[in-house]
Amino acid sequence: MNHRPPAAAAPLLLALALLGAGCSGGVEGTPGAVGVRDPYFPGLGNGGYDVTHYGLELDVDPAADRLRGTATITARATQDLSAFHLDLAGLDVESATVEGKPAAVNRAGKELTIRPGGAVEGRLRKGRTFTTVVRYSGAPQAITDPDGSKEGWLRTADGAVALGEPTGSMAWFPGNHHPSDKATYDIEVTVPDPLTAVSNGQLVSRSTAGGRTSYHWRTAEPMASYLATVAVGRFTTQQSRTPDGIRLFTAVDPESAAASKDVLARIPDVLAWSAEKFGPYPFTSAGAIVERTGDSTYALETQNRPVFPGPPDTALLVHELAHQWFGNSVTPATWRDMWLNEGFATYAEWLWAADHEGVPVQESFDEAYEDDANWAFPPADPPTAVELSDAPVYGRGAMVVHRLRLAIADDKAFFALVRGWTKAHRHGNASTDDFTAYVEQETGQDLTGLWDAWLYGESRPPEEG
């Protein structure tokens, strides 16, 4: 699910040079950066502003393979801006405004350059909150990652599903598509009857007119764009609440309904068990989207309701719901920190197996330790974006968590540490350095040897010691 870092394109450099030259003559500030220099995706995301809210209005016609969208993006300037960038792949931009005034739009590949005009020109001062509206349309596309997997806008047997990790969200809306820029969302999707449109958060309203139905979904807690989703299809839906008051919404393809029923019924139990281990559930809604087998090839922890490529088993449900704490609430600062997502979610599977299936965590650790695939590279330093979703990020990442538990040598203290971590970075971003510093500060231990051997070491360390 990963791209190779894109090379800088000559047309983009030329466009930026011309833009910079055009920023004189009364226009104050400088253009925001192209990309945020992520270790694996340096062109992903944009500098100079912080998005606080996305309002997306989407009209989807799967039969015609057509999407029309209006993105209303509220952001705060983090520098004096003469221009700024948005990530968008494939779709055609019809118009853009900044603070209600027409803005110039230049395009170079997946980069849009927006230059405010009219009375707004030169006035995007540092600290100012401003609104950009982009109208766009076209046939949204899937993005092929270096490892051969597909993300972006994926067509299904009866509609489509949008999956964004790590860069696919730019296939269906313009934005600042790096996980370090989280925002709240309102997503309104209009689809032809009898299709249903499911997204993140809570269903605010539903209205039907002229054979088309609009579904308005709201995500009130911050969300990284790679966790945003839209699923369009013929779904059987169900709404309820957990004993703790968490709103549940599940949407299941009818072909997957019977085989999914028993596992999905365990969502309240899994959430309650996870809260005991990891701290209070960080969101107000939860659930799942289950496609028919073959519509997609992998599960993804889309915020509030993970997407499953067919009926999930309990272990996969536990894994994806654990991501609501690790990855969705505590989001990686860069894609190099992805082991913090996958290592903890894999460790959640080991913990569940110990508590519910009689499989000791040490047995799961030993099995992972003997798997040569987990030793291809250090989990905190994948060689390239191609390996970002490979075994060491998951299995060896979970081994790091267990070695930490053994080093603390007190289960009560270990789980208090984990709950403290999710509380300290709730709805924020965190890096590997943040994690190791937090652990050493809270435990008072120098764990350099553990990090060097298990987190960054090139070779398999002795299991004992």
Side-chain angles (χ1 to χ4, degrees), residues 16-390:
L16 292 175
L18 293 173
L19 181 60
C23 288
S24 58
V27 180
E28 300 177 13
T30 57
V34 180
V36 296
R37 298 186 178 181
D38 185 272
Y40 301 104
F41 308 99
L44 187 63
N46 306 283
Y49 66 94
D50 172 53
V51 178
T52 57
H53 185 75
Y54 289 96
L56 305 178
E57 298 176 30
L58 309 176
D59 190 299
V60 180
D61 188 343
D65 193 20
R66 186 76 175 173
L67 180 152
R68 296 190 65 87
T70 299
T72 302
I73 304 168
T74 304
R76 180 181 61 84
T78 58
Q79 67 177 64
D80 290 346
L81 282 173
S82 60
F84 57 94
H85 300 267
L86 297 171
D87 305 313
L88 182 66
L91 297 166
D92 299 321
V93 175
E94 299 170 359
S95 66
T97 63
V98 177
E99 293 293 84
K101 303 294 183 181
V105 181
N106 295 317
R107 186 161 199 168
K110 299 172 183 176
E111 288 287 337
L112 300 181
T113 303
I114 309 293
R115 183 169 59 193
V120 181
E121 190 171 3
R123 296 185 184 178
L124 294 184
R125 302 295 186 112
K126 180 178 180 179
R128 175 175 176 172
T129 296
F130 62 96
T131 299
T132 302
V133 178
V134 181
R135 292 178 172 82
Y136 58 100
S137 62
Q141 300 297 312
I143 294 173
T144 302
D145 294 324
D147 64 4
S149 61
K150 300 281 189 180
E151 57 171 307
W153 192 264
L154 307 180
R155 288 161 187 81
T156 63
D158 56 359
V161 60
L163 301 178
E165 187 178 12
T167 68
S169 293
M170 67 172 69
W172 56 284
F173 70 97
N176 195 9
H177 290 300
H178 189 267
S180 60
D181 192 0
K182 301 169 73 169
T184 57
Y185 283 73
D186 278 276
I187 301 178
E188 185 173 339
V189 190
T190 302
V191 295
D193 296 334
L195 301 182
T196 300
V198 185
S199 188
N200 312 86
Q202 297 181 11
L203 181 61
V204 176
S205 65
R206 171 182 170 177
S207 59
T208 299
R212 299 177 66 79
T213 300
S214 298
Y215 298 84
H216 180 184
W217 295 87
R218 175 169 296 156
T219 303
E221 301 94 356
M223 177 169 69
S225 65
Y226 81 90
L227 299 168
T229 189
V230 166
V232 175
R234 297 174 181 263
F235 291 111
T236 299
T237 64
Q238 184 174 351
Q239 299 185 61
S240 61
R241 287 180 183 263
T242 70
D244 294 335
I246 299 168
R247 297 185 181 185
L248 297 182
F249 187 102
T250 58
V252 184
D253 187 286
E255 290 192 8
S256 297
S260 301
K261 181 179 178 181
D262 290 344
V263 173
L264 296 183
R266 304 193 75 172
I267 289 177
D269 293 337
V270 173
L271 290 176
W273 173 87
S274 300
E276 291 179 1
K277 304 292 186 183
F278 312 136
Y281 182 66
F283 305 108
T284 56
S285 61
I289 300 169
V290 183
E291 296 283 359
R292 71 182 69 186
T293 302
D295 277 348
S296 62
T297 59
Y298 56 89
L300 187 63
E301 61 269 21
T302 45
Q303 192 155 306
N304 310 116
R305 53 190 52 84
V307 174
F308 296 99
D313 59 23
T314 302
L316 184 57
L317 180 70
V318 169
H319 183 103
E320 301 305 335
L321 291 182
H323 274 308
Q324 306 306 308
W325 284 262
F326 305 105
N328 297 13
S329 177
V330 185
T331 304
T334 75
W335 284 112
R336 179 168 285 157
D337 306 304
M338 185 168 159
W339 81 272
L340 286 167
N341 300 7
E342 301 300 348
F344 271 101
T346 302
Y347 197 65
E349 293 183 60
W350 297 2
L351 293 171
W352 179 272
D355 286 356
H356 297 84
E357 298 165 14
V359 181
V361 172
Q362 187 62 45
E363 184 175 322
S364 297
F365 176 94
D366 292 342
E367 182 178 346
Y369 182 86
E370 294 300 327
D371 186 349
D372 291 341
N374 285 324
W375 301 99
F377 56 82
D381 193 19
T384 71
V386 177
E387 293 83 18
L388 198 57
S389 295
D390 282 3

